[in-house]
Amino acid sequence: GCQSLINDIDRINALNVFPVPDGDTGTNMKMTIDGGVKAISGLDIASIGEMSKKLSRAMTMSARGNSGVILSQFFKGICRKRIILPY
């Protein structure tokens, strides 16, 4: 997911985001998710629940801009509900 966001960052930055088109929506989202990925990289976590909790917390702490906060809260919701999607 992080790599997909990076691949489309220019397109995401071009979004007109309320209240002003600030041109950094994708950048803020990338910085937010990067904080989460860095926090869980290299950790030996056996539980998806524990991993999602650490990811969510790190994304909340590294959130940038409104779009980053919204993205971090999305992950917080997944963590709190422990939604596991079948693939």
Side-chain angles (χ1 to χ4, degrees):
C2 186
Q3 188 60 51
S4 292
L5 191 132
I6 291 168
N7 292 344
D8 289 325
I9 199 163
D10 291 332
R11 196 174 80 177
I12 297 167
N13 278 337
L15 293 173
N16 186 3
V17 179
F18 179 83
V20 294
D22 51 17
D24 63 357
T25 299
T27 302
N28 288 337
M29 291 172 72
K30 180 196 173 295
M31 292 171 68
T32 300
I33 205 164
D34 276 348
V37 170
K38 287 177 185 172
I40 63 169
S41 293
L43 294 180
D44 186 22
I45 303 172
S47 158
I48 193 166
E50 185 64 26
M51 187 275 304
S52 66
K53 184 176 177 181
K54 289 186 182 298
L55 177 69
S56 169
R57 171 87 172 132
M59 286 180 68
T60 298
M61 298 307 291
S62 64
R64 300 293 184 266
N66 290 334
S67 55
V69 171
I70 292 166
L71 181 64
S72 73
Q73 293 303 297
F74 176 79
F75 276 84
K76 183 177 180 179
I78 291 173
C79 173
R80 292 187 85 185
K81 295 294 183 184
R82 290 200 166 77
I83 298 170
I84 310 298
L85 302 174
Y87 291 104

